[in-house]
Amino acid sequence: SQQGEEDPQALSIQEGENATMNCSYKTSINNLQWYRQNSGRGLVHLILIRSNEREKHSGRLRVTLDTSKKSSSLLITASRAADTASYFCATVFSTDSWGKLQFGAGTQVVVTP
Amino acid sequence: DTEVTQTPKHLVMGMTNKKSLKCEQHMGHRAMYWYKQKAKKPPELMFVYSYEKLSINESVPSRFSPECPNSSLLNLHLHALQPEDSALYLCASSQVPWRNYNEQFFGPGTRLTVL
């Protein structure tokens, strides 16, 4: 079963707008990661945030983590058509020494020019 | 080289065929993974190899047989598959499965169709 629930399931925005998607999880985590997947292709790692971190930035990406609410958000600023993809959060349980990724259902983002 | 390569890109096979998927990485990673992904769903973990040894098998049917000949290569042997096994098969690698640093690098996948 999936660890994470993502919201919204789908998001359609215009170029230049910001896109925000959320991920909630149920079990105590060691870290949370965000991945992007272009249609039918492999996943690309975007950012990893550890359980003792609250916010991280990478280029136009901003990730927050609230462990008390068991939730994370991914913000893409000034979106581009090339940001059209599915975005998955993935958690690693704090009790899992293998670091297995537990993926959420994903958010499909469409950015129109 | 931060790339994971997979061959073939597409594969169509009958239910009586035997075929293999291949995955290669040259990042010195000692953990390698096979995932199965159905359309509009997240990837599902199938197998994990750590230091060329099978560490995790997520109760995958025996018609899928993984193999790790060396630290750079990972194979998935397919035999007597069912149409419901049609999916995108993704290979990934990472540093040793240490939970703080388990960023995974994914290959482009093999699109498998079972007729």
Side-chain angles (χ1 to χ4, degrees), chain A residues 10-60:
Chain A
L11 184 59
S12 184
I13 57 173
Q14 302 266 342
E15 262 192 330
E17 293 180 340
N18 295 343
T20 300
M21 58 210 87
N22 304 295
C23 171
S24 60
Y25 56 91
K26 299 170 186 167
T27 309
S28 177
I29 61 170
N30 181 280
N31 67 68
L32 185 145
Q33 304 176 34
W34 286 90
Y35 288 81
R36 184 188 75 227
Q37 184 176 34
N38 291 90
S39 181
R41 306 304 291 165
L43 280 75
V44 174
H45 182 268
L46 297 176
I47 203 161
L48 181 153
I49 186 165
R50 297 189 177 87
S51 59
N52 61 352
E53 298 175 312
R54 292 297 166 258
E55 188 171 313
K56 275 189 105 166
H57 297 256
S58 177
R60 293 182 297 112

Side-chain angles (χ1 to χ4, degrees), chain A residues 51-99:
Chain A
S51 59
N52 61 352
E53 298 175 312
R54 292 297 166 258
E55 188 171 313
K56 275 189 105 166
H57 297 256
S58 177
R60 293 182 297 112
L61 305 180
R62 173 177 169 256
V63 168
T64 62
L65 179 65
D66 186 334
T67 53
S68 66
K69 295 181 180 178
K70 292 188 168 56
S71 68
S72 174
S73 68
L74 170 66
L75 168 66
I76 305 172
T77 60
S79 62
R80 305 167 181 168
D83 295 327
T84 295
S86 292
Y87 292 81
F88 294 96
C89 68
T91 53
V92 176
F93 291 161
S94 57
T95 54
D96 180 5
S97 59
W98 287 105

Side-chain angles (χ1 to χ4, degrees), chain A residues 2 30-31 33 35 37 39-45 48 50 88 92-101 103-106 108, chain B residues 9 33 35 37 40-45 48 50 55-56 58 88 90 97-109 111:
Chain A
Q2 291 159 207
N30 181 280
N31 67 68
Q33 304 176 34
Y35 288 81
Q37 184 176 34
S39 181
R41 306 304 291 165
L43 280 75
V44 174
H45 182 268
L48 181 153
R50 297 189 177 87
F88 294 96
V92 176
F93 291 161
S94 57
T95 54
D96 180 5
S97 59
W98 287 105
K100 284 165 53 178
L101 295 179
F103 283 95
Q108 286 190 294
Chain B
K9 290 184 180 178
Y33 311 77
Y35 290 86
Q37 186 179 26
K40 298 190 185 300
K41 296 290 187 182
E44 297 175 15
L45 183 65
V48 179
S50 175
S55 302
I56 296 176
E58 293 286 278
L88 182 67
L90 295 164
W98 174 239
R99 56 194 182 195
N100 265 341
Y101 302 101
N102 197 34
E103 169 191 354
Q104 294 187 18
F105 292 79
F106 283 80
R111 175 73 60 189

